[in-house]
Amino acid sequence: MFLHYSPFWLRVFFPGFIWRVPTQEKTIYLTFDDGPIPEITEFVLETLEQYHAKATFFCIGDNVRKHPYVFSKVLESGHSVGNHTFNHMNGWKTDNDVYLENIKKCDEQLKIPTNLFRPPYGRIKNSQSRFVLKERKIIMWDVLSGDFSASLTPETCLRKTIRHAREGSIILFHDSIKSSKNMQYALPRFLDSMAEKGYGFEALPMI
């Protein structure tokens, strides 16, 4: 069970995290977690190109290690990237030293400067976030597509993502095997719907 949007009380409880971009411009910030993955990430890149859209990819370091060619295509396409730990670690279940070291290990694999970080599952201890926020921005989301959910139909994934999107929304999709069915249905239709409404799609700045 999950919410497709981040409620006000959650944003108040974690004010140091970035949940959306304050703007009145018709701009949306698409983000993709868990890649890079061959074919799936490439599908995302090809789809974004069709709409002249830029996005931010929160990469798992080990996937960058395994698929450097796909990662290079993300950068060459002009998108921004963020750190998503090396092993997709759940901060709630991980000792601080191990968690912070895993973030650094991901940095070493990315090999480019970025101050964007998203905790896997959105789960990070306060004691961990205090260290992370010294050097990075913790990027959460305004709208959760739910593409990862096996109980969610592609049509519902699309409908609810469109319903909750607004100016400055940070939208979370996944370029992962688990999410591919829902994402590949919803993403192009979401882009088409929001573009028709006059929205543009930008990447979050890495520095």
Side-chain angles (χ1 to χ4, degrees):
M1 190 70 178
F2 60 89
L3 292 173
H4 283 273
Y5 63 95
S6 298
F8 175 75
W9 63 263
L10 189 60
R11 300 196 300 272
V12 170
F13 198 67
F14 297 100
F17 299 176
I18 296 174
W19 298 89
R20 63 185 297 267
V21 177
T23 181
Q24 294 182 343
E25 299 289 330
K26 297 190 91 171
T27 303
I28 283 175
Y29 297 85
L30 293 166
T31 64
F32 297 86
D33 285 9
D34 298 353
I37 300 293
E39 297 185 8
I40 298 171
T41 302
E42 290 164 311
F43 168 86
V44 172
L45 294 175
E46 291 166 4
T47 304
L48 293 174
E49 185 177 8
Q50 292 174 21
Y51 290 87
H52 307 289
K54 297 302 179 185
T56 305
F57 290 78
F58 287 92
C59 299
I60 295 174
D62 198 36
N63 283 341
V64 175
R65 179 189 65 81
K66 290 185 288 189
H67 311 296
Y69 173 68
V70 182
F71 180 65
S72 69
K73 290 182 73 173
V74 173
L75 298 177
E76 290 166 4
S77 298
H79 303 289
S80 62
V81 300
N83 187 312
H84 201 45
T85 75
F86 190 84
N87 297 111
H88 202 262
M89 283 196 161
N90 184 333
W92 293 359
K93 298 180 179 179
T94 309
D95 290 340
N96 289 0
D97 290 345
V98 174
Y99 190 75
L100 296 172
E101 185 60 34
N102 206 258
I103 294 173
K104 291 180 181 178
K105 190 175 180 181
C106 182
D107 278 340
E108 293 167 1
Q109 197 64 54
L110 295 176
K111 298 178 182 176
I112 62 167
T114 176
N115 66 353
L116 304 177
F117 175 75
R118 175 173 284 160
Y121 313 101
R123 295 175 180 176
I124 184 170
K125 298 173 187 173
N126 288 334
S127 54
Q128 295 163 347
S129 68
R130 282 197 296 270
F131 282 99
V132 174
L133 286 169
K134 290 179 181 179
E135 300 179 349
R136 310 169 194 267
K137 297 175 182 177
I138 296 179
I139 309 296
M140 302 300 275
W141 56 84
D142 184 40
V143 181
L144 182 62
S145 69
D147 54 1
F148 57 86
S149 175
S151 63
L152 199 68
T153 66
E155 293 81 7
T156 301
C157 176
L158 171 64
R159 185 177 69 255
K160 293 200 172 185
T161 304
I162 291 173
R163 178 190 301 170
H164 295 294
R166 56 179 174 154
E167 291 83 353
S169 282
I170 297 174
I171 311 286
L172 172 52
F173 284 100
H174 295 79
D175 52 332
S176 65
I177 294 171
K178 178 181 180 181
S179 304
S180 60
K181 179 182 177 181
N182 283 350
M183 182 275 290
Q184 290 177 349
Y185 176 89
L187 178 62
R189 292 166 176 83
F190 175 79
L191 287 164
D192 192 56
S193 175
M194 301 309 290
E196 283 187 357
K197 297 174 183 177
Y199 281 86
F201 310 94
E202 299 293 338
L204 296 166
M206 290 191 289
I207 297 296

